[in-house]
Amino acid sequence: MPEIELSAGTIHYEDTGGPGPVVVLLHGLIHDATVWRNVVANLATDHRCVAPTLPYGSHRTPMRPDVPLSPDTVNDLIVEFLDRLDLHEVTLVESDCGRAQTVAAQHPERLARLVLMSCEAFDNYPPGLPGKMIVLAVKIPGALPLMVHTLGLKALRRLPVALGSLTKRPVPDEIADGWLRPLLTDKAIRNDFRRYNLALRRTELLEAAEGLRTFDKPALVIWATEDLMMPRDHGRRLTELLPQGRLLEIEDSRTLIAEDQPDQLSAALREFVHSTPAA
């Protein structure tokens, strides 16, 4: 897996390097670029798929301790990542976390399209019961290692406060193990995770939503109809904000559509990219 040294630290990423439009895929908390594995396998025949592993707890290399780590830091890191790889006319896709909203609102120059998928938005931040439990765990001494250990128990992964809130179908154990291993084994990664979640700024996504009103490029909002964490109405509200927004709802899925319905998602992304040529 290639890596790149950025201002905040080393980022690992997947890059198919293939021909065709560039699709950059952003994941959420406590999972990594492998959440896109089935989508990438589908799209890579006619797209260049780039999927960074962001410092959300499943990253392998700790971030620099002298650099503040927050959602705002990650917004800057994503912009720097696009710049350093010299990626232009990007279709930026986000799932679960909401950083792409701020990137699109503040730095639209490298983007050709935006896709927002069942993600944090407006005042649902941190989202749902799992999000609120994470914020509580990083504030209470000793609670974070206990939470991570609990998530590491395979018998408990399908609980509503664990992966059961994100997917309708079990994530393969080898994939889930990879997501959890850094938090389980590396104190520096746990410290990154704590720093990030202690720095949440409740107004960030409200500000981003206002900024999306001026994003005048094609935008697709994809929402899971059975999402337990991201209100269905937020998909409609985001679509209405975006001047060129359109909404697609996907059934029989929870938040991680790339896990529950990768074929439907891949088809939707391919149709969107090819029906909206870059300027």
Side-chain angles (χ1 to χ4, degrees), residues 26-37 52-60 94-97 118 163 166-167 171 175-176 178-180 182-183 193 229-230 255-259:
L26 307 181
H27 62 85
L29 285 189
I30 320 183
H31 45 283
D32 61 19
T34 59
V35 73
W36 299 108
R37 65 197 180 280
T53 289
L54 299 170
Y56 290 157
S58 296
H59 54 299
R60 274 50 174 182
E94 77 173 4
S95 170
D96 191 9
C97 281
S118 283
L163 292 177
L166 293 172
T167 65
V171 176
I175 299 297
W179 295 353
L180 294 166
L183 276 174
F193 188 73
M229 295 182 61
M230 317 298 180
T255 304
L256 299 187
I257 302 172
E259 288 290 335

Side-chain angles (χ1 to χ4, degrees), residues 214-236:
T214 63
F215 186 79
D216 60 354
K217 300 176 182 181
L220 177 62
V221 179
I222 304 177
W223 225 258
T225 61
E226 298 181 47
D227 200 313
L228 300 179
M229 295 182 61
M230 317 298 180
R232 191 172 179 179
D233 181 59
H234 282 189
R236 300 189 183 101

Side-chain angles (χ1 to χ4, degrees), residues 2 15 28 40 44 47 49 56 69 83 86 90 108 119 121 128 142 149 166 171 177 184 188 205 222 230 240 253 262:
D15 187 349
V40 168
H47 299 76
C49 299
Y56 290 157
L69 185 56
D83 183 64
D86 197 24
V90 166
C119 56
H149 177 72
L166 293 172
V171 176
D177 288 343
L184 283 166
L205 295 182
I222 304 177
M230 317 298 180
E240 291 169 358
S253 180

Side-chain angles (χ1 to χ4, degrees), residues 186-203:
D186 193 328
K187 184 177 180 180
I189 297 294
R190 289 197 296 274
N191 188 51
D192 281 353
F193 188 73
R194 181 179 291 106
R195 290 197 294 151
Y196 175 89
N197 284 284
L198 286 175
L200 296 184
R201 185 167 57 83
R202 295 294 298 272
T203 60

